[in-house]
Amino acid sequence: MLASVTVIGVLGGLIGVPTGYALHGLVMPLMGRAAGTSMPAPVIDVYEPWQLALLGSGGIAIAVLGALIPAGWAARARTATALRTE
C-alpha cells in the first residue's frame, strides 16, 4: 500500500512542481500588467532549486503519511477482510 502511494506522490511532485513553477512565471507578470505596473525580477524569481526539490519531496511525504493509517489497518486485519474492503 505504501509503495503504490509513494509512486503517486512521486508522480504528483514531478508533475505539480514544474507546472506550478511555470504557472507562477506566467501569472505574476499578467497580474502586474493588469494592475498597471511591471513586476520586478525578485517578485517573480522567488524559488531556489533546493526549495523546488523540497516542495517535490513534500508531495511524497504527504502521500506516505496519508497512507499510514490505512496501511496499518490492513496489516492488522485478517487477509480476507482486507481484500474484501479494497
Side-chain angles (χ1 to χ4, degrees):
M1 180 173 266
L2 290 177
S4 65
V5 170
T6 302
V7 170
I8 293 170
V10 168
L11 289 175
L14 288 175
I15 294 169
V17 171
T19 303
Y21 184 76
L23 285 173
H24 173 80
L26 179 72
V27 170
M28 289 301 289
L30 290 175
M31 289 175 55
R33 275 186 248 133
T37 185
S38 64
M39 294 285 189
V43 173
I44 296 172
D45 301 327
V46 294
Y47 295 111
E48 299 290 328
W50 67 269
Q51 292 172 322
L52 294 174
L54 190 62
L55 286 170
S57 62
I60 299 167
I62 290 169
V64 170
L65 287 174
L68 283 176
I69 292 173
W73 175 85
R76 287 188 304 275
R78 292 187 353 216
T79 303
T81 304
L83 290 174
R84 269 196 305 265
T85 58
E86 267 194 33

